[in-house]
Amino acid sequence: MIPIPRPGTPERQRLIDTHWRCIQSMKGVAGCAILECATPGDTTDVGGGIYDDPLLRQVLFRMRAQPPAGKLVVICTKPDREWRIGRLSGIRGVPPSFVDERVFEDEQEVQHAIFLMRLDELPESDGMPEHFHEGWKRGAYNWT
């Protein structure tokens, strides 16, 4: 498996820069695809991002594969105008809680902020075989 780049390394900064370029390139596009548009906001010609960067693809895969308990998510507080970062409880029926007081006016920028927070939270050794389990819908995660 590929280790998660640590702070201060050129690989980590390259991942952050690539993610930011992709986020900026996709402004105005619904969802959050980590790809670069030839013309910003126009998805008829995309490339870069996870297509060209295997380390970024692997890191995003590991982030998305985390169990739901404690996972960071985007919470829309005012439709199409305001977003905040929340953390899932991992218990069905218990709402997520806000992680801080920041309010974002751009849906893509909140996605990048979550990427940076997840990058800080992932241990360098994450993604090794011992971190995988049979599934997140097990009793330990309150899916009974």
Side-chain angles (χ1 to χ4, degrees):
M1 299 306 285
I2 299 171
I4 306 300
R6 295 313 334 140
T9 62
E11 291 171 332
R12 179 185 168 100
Q13 191 57 49
R14 185 183 56 75
L15 283 181
I16 292 170
D17 293 342
T18 302
H19 190 270
W20 180 248
R21 269 195 324 276
C22 292
I23 289 292
Q24 292 300 308
S25 171
M26 293 297 250
K27 282 194 185 237
V29 178
C32 183
I34 307 304
L35 300 168
E36 288 186 62
C37 300
T39 305
D42 180 4
T43 58
T44 55
D45 186 16
V46 294
I50 60 171
Y51 284 161
D52 295 340
D53 192 335
L55 179 58
L56 178 61
R57 182 173 48 247
Q58 185 67 25
V59 168
L60 286 171
F61 174 76
R62 290 304 310 142
M63 288 177 178
R64 293 171 179 163
Q66 296 297 310
K71 198 172 205 176
L72 295 167
V73 295
V74 175
I75 300 173
C76 180
T77 53
K78 293 183 183 172
D80 298 325
R81 292 187 326 191
E82 190 176 284
W83 295 267
R84 292 185 62 190
I85 299 172
R87 190 174 297 275
L88 295 177
S89 67
I91 301 170
R92 181 184 274 176
V94 176
S97 57
F98 294 121
V99 297
D100 55 30
E101 298 301 317
R102 290 183 293 172
V103 176
F104 296 86
E105 295 180 358
D106 185 314
E107 189 175 8
Q108 274 76 19
E109 289 180 14
V110 72
Q111 293 285 356
H112 185 67
I114 286 177
F115 174 76
L116 295 176
M117 292 173 74
R118 284 182 178 173
L119 200 55
D120 288 341
E121 291 177 359
L122 281 177
E124 185 177 358
S125 62
D126 190 76
M128 300 303 171
E130 60 269 17
H131 296 119
F132 289 90
H133 50 81
E134 292 182 19
W136 58 271
K137 287 190 176 182
R138 299 288 183 240
Y141 296 107
N142 201 29
W143 287 82
T144 56

